[in-house]
């Protein structure tokens, strides 16, 4: 299973940026923990970060026909980018929205996610574990899919 990980604006500054809110890990360190988790779960990962809305939209569109799912931390775009929301809906791929901080317990404007409804799941406030849990979600859905496929096969061989 191939999953695209997308990080939005200012997440390239992790490690330096407000560590009391976002922790001390750099984006590279988060990606490396994800890579390890992905290997354990049989998921191959591609990583992308951009500070630009249009580039993020291009990357989401690019996933169509290439990736089986998206893990996305849209950063501040979470709270107002209808264009990113529409891109996720347009490609129709399962997406998980992740946040390092707990957006529900911060400023009022962060409590709104315009992305949430087009994602299968939102995971927030768990630091790097928000990202690794998103991979667990994909691994579980893969298992269910394979379980379903096996059930179909046994149906077929039934006399
Ligand atoms: C964030 C939360 C957003 O509100 C903020 O703008 C970010 C990071 C998080 O991971 O906690 O850039 O998405």
């Amino acid at each position: 299973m191939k999953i695209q990980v997308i990080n939005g604006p200012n997440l390239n500054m992790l490690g330096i940026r407000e560590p009391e809110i976002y922790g001390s890990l750099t984006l590279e360190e988060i990606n490396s923990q994800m890579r390890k988790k992905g290997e354990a779960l049989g998921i191959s990962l591609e990583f992308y970060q951009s500070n630009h809305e249009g580039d993020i939209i291009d990357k989401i569109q690019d996933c169509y026909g290439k990736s089986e799912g998206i893990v996305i931390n849209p950063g501040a775009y979470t709270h107002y980018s209808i264009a990113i929301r529409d891109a996720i809906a347009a490609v129709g791929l399962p997406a998980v929205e992740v946040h390092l901080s707990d957006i529900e317990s911060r400023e009022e404007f962060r409590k709104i996610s315009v992305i949430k409804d087009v994602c299968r799941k939102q995971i927030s406030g768990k630091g790097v574990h928000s990202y690794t849990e998103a991979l667990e979600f994909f691994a579980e859905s893969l298992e269910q899919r394979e379980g379903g496929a096996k059930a179909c096969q046994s149906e077929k061989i039934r006399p």
Side-chain angles (χ1 to χ4, degrees), residues 9-11 17 21-22 73-79 98-103 106 109-110 131:
N10 299 309
L11 292 161
R17 177 190 183 198
I21 297 175
Y22 300 114
N73 182 347
Y77 286 136
T78 304
H79 314 297
V98 298
H99 301 282
L100 292 155
S101 66
D102 179 9
I103 57 172
R106 297 183 63 195
F109 64 84
R110 288 189 209 274
Y131 289 86

Side-chain angles (χ1 to χ4, degrees), residues 61-148:
Q61 291 184 3
D62 195 43
C63 287
Y64 184 76
K66 290 187 190 155
S67 298
E68 286 169 76
I70 298 171
V71 175
I72 184 163
N73 182 347
Y77 286 136
T78 304
H79 314 297
Y80 65 94
S81 178
I82 309 293
I84 289 179
R85 175 197 168 102
D86 285 352
I88 296 170
V91 294
L93 289 167
V96 177
E97 175 192 343
V98 298
H99 301 282
L100 292 155
S101 66
D102 179 9
I103 57 172
E104 290 292 332
S105 66
R106 297 183 63 195
E107 301 96 323
E108 284 303 309
F109 64 84
R110 288 189 209 274
K111 292 183 181 165
I112 296 159
S113 166
V114 299
I115 309 293
K116 192 177 171 181
D117 289 348
V118 293
C119 290
R120 296 282 175 92
K121 198 174 179 175
Q122 184 196 63
I123 309 171
S124 166
K126 299 184 176 179
V128 64
H129 302 296
S130 295
Y131 289 86
T132 51
E133 255 191 58
L135 297 183
E136 280 165 14
F137 169 85
F138 279 113
E140 277 161 27
S141 49
L142 180 67
E143 250 170 50
Q144 277 168 15
R145 217 169 60 185
E146 284 175 352

